[in-house]
Amino acid sequence: QVQLVESGGGLVPAGGSLRLSCLVSGNSVTANSMAWYRQAPGRQRDLVGRINKDGDTNYANSVKGRFAISRDVANNTVYLQMDNLKPDDTGVYYCNLYPPNIPLLRNIAWGQGTQVTVSS
């Protein structure tokens, strides 16, 4: 059973940085593409970026150049480094497999997420 535990969120001023972590159990972080998703208040959950099985990364235009996804295979953890944060980055951040339909197809529960709040 795949389990995902996100951590590292917090309250930061605009321009600040945070590093989020996603501890994965029940599935190697290299067995599938992994992604970070974001749900802003009152909005649907959107893709922030992903790291493919081969380690290549891809990002939403809104975070390109500011966010970076990496992984630690030994610790089965995926990271999201967020720099130059903006108020629009506020939301609950989740990690899960990619593409977004995989969690539903494989009945993988979403974690509790980690709240990121960026003050202006």
Side-chain angles (χ1 to χ4, degrees):
Q1 181 179 358
V2 180
Q3 292 187 315
L4 308 149
V5 180
E6 302 92 347
S7 62
L11 172 64
V12 295
S17 298
L18 282 173
R19 189 174 85 149
L20 308 184
S21 300
C22 173
L23 179 61
V24 182
S25 59
N27 194 79
S28 168
V29 295
T30 59
N32 296 89
S33 296
M34 297 292 300
W36 283 94
Y37 302 85
R38 172 173 71 196
Q39 187 164 21
R43 300 188 64 177
Q44 67 180 17
R45 190 157 41 204
D46 292 326
L47 178 68
V48 173
R50 70 178 192 263
I51 182 165
N52 297 330
K53 290 191 289 185
D54 62 5
D56 283 351
T57 54
N58 188 275
Y59 303 94
N61 287 335
S62 61
V63 307
K64 202 171 292 185
R66 301 187 297 120
F67 290 12
I69 297 174
S70 61
R71 64 190 180 194
D72 180 340
V73 178
N75 291 304
N76 219 40
T77 300
V78 180
Y79 300 100
L80 178 65
Q81 177 67 41
M82 305 187 295
D83 297 319
N84 191 21
L85 282 159
K86 303 177 180 181
D88 284 349
D89 296 320
T90 293
V92 181
Y93 284 70
Y94 303 87
C95 70
N96 214 315
L97 275 61
Y98 179 88
N101 62 321
I102 295 298
L104 181 62
L105 291 175
R106 291 180 50 179
N107 196 28
I108 297 172
W110 292 83
Q112 82 287 352
T114 186
Q115 174 72 46
V116 172
T117 304
V118 185
S119 61
S120 56

